[in-house]
Amino acid sequence: MLEPGFHPVAPGRIAAIVTHLEMRAPPPSPDAKLPEGMMLRQVEAPDPDWYRDLFLRVGGLTWMWFSRLRLSRAELSAVLADRDVEIFALEIDGRAEGLLELDFRDGRSCELAFLGLTPAAQGKGAGRALIQTGIARAFARPIERLHIHTCTFDSPVALPFYIRSGFVAVRREVEVVDDPRLDGTIPMDAAPQIPLIR
């Protein structure tokens, strides 16, 4: 348990405040349609290279997403091929520009593991349609709860967006990890709003 006050973070590491949220039943909400020219496609057992490219463009370059990029090809392939992991790509002109991923592997709940859009898909209302699809698909199974977490590396609109969508914050953590730019997981110029301290 951290005591109140400032806590040093070693050079070469980064720290984020992680907020965990959940919902126990789907909230009433109007249907949100995808903007014209966009479609959502379920991708079963996607190729790891395709997935890594989308993951990096959606979250790695701007928001310091790195967790899936640190998995080996075999580890990532195993996750992507699991029948209890559902992956959807938001496509514009046939190119994936958004990611929705649901993880049912614990058997009792669903994690909304990843949800995000590339800059090409942002600001058009696609996020609302994406999260409503995720909520509906999650509660189509007999789960006890749908949960998600976001952190201070994510877009500043992410946490209020999840709360407006019906999620309730239930706990908070501090995560300290090695800076993924320093080991080549993501490019050195990624997430420039987070200073690199060697």
Side-chain angles (χ1 to χ4, degrees):
M1 186 75 68
L2 285 175
E3 294 296 322
F6 291 95
H7 300 275
V9 176
R13 291 189 172 165
I14 51 175
I17 298 171
V18 181
T19 302
H20 296 264
L21 306 101
E22 66 178 34
M23 66 170 62
R24 297 283 175 165
S29 60
D31 287 338
K33 297 191 186 304
L34 284 172
E36 190 173 337
M38 296 187 185
M39 67 170 287
L40 191 61
R41 178 175 67 91
Q42 185 169 3
V43 185
E44 295 187 5
D47 177 78
D49 293 336
W50 175 90
Y51 180 91
R52 280 190 173 119
D53 171 72
L54 179 58
F55 188 92
L56 185 64
R57 290 187 295 112
V58 166
L61 297 176
T62 305
W63 304 118
M64 196 71 81
W65 289 15
F66 59 87
S67 58
R68 289 290 172 80
L69 300 174
R70 282 189 166 157
L71 297 179
S72 70
R73 185 179 179 86
E75 290 168 332
L76 181 57
S77 292
V79 172
L80 300 179
D82 195 299
R83 289 179 173 268
D84 286 323
V85 175
E86 295 186 0
I87 297 163
F88 298 84
L90 177 75
E91 296 182 341
I92 303 175
D93 296 327
R95 177 175 165 82
E97 299 290 356
L99 174 65
L100 167 64
E101 184 173 333
L102 301 170
D103 187 342
F104 296 91
R105 287 179 292 173
D106 82 357
R108 298 182 314 278
S109 65
C110 174
E111 180 182 7
L112 203 166
F114 297 102
L115 185 146
L117 304 167
T118 69
Q122 292 171 4
K124 300 176 169 115
R128 174 66 48 205
L130 220 56
I131 198 161
Q132 287 188 4
T133 297
I135 292 169
R137 287 198 66 96
F139 284 104
R141 296 200 193 188
I143 61 168
E144 297 172 4
R145 70 183 181 116
L146 173 62
H147 61 102
I148 189 170
H149 67 269
T150 185
C151 75
T152 49
F153 293 148
D154 277 335
S155 167
V157 305
L159 182 55
F161 173 72
Y162 296 139
I163 292 170
R164 285 195 313 272
S165 299
F167 287 89
V168 175
V170 292
R171 65 189 172 94
R172 190 172 288 123
E173 296 175 305
V174 175
E175 180 183 25
V176 178
V177 296
D178 292 333
D179 193 316
R181 294 169 292 193
L182 293 175
D183 65 8
T185 301
I186 60 176
M188 287 291 286
D189 61 352
Q193 73 278 11
I194 302 167
L196 184 63
I197 300 175
R198 295 178 186 271

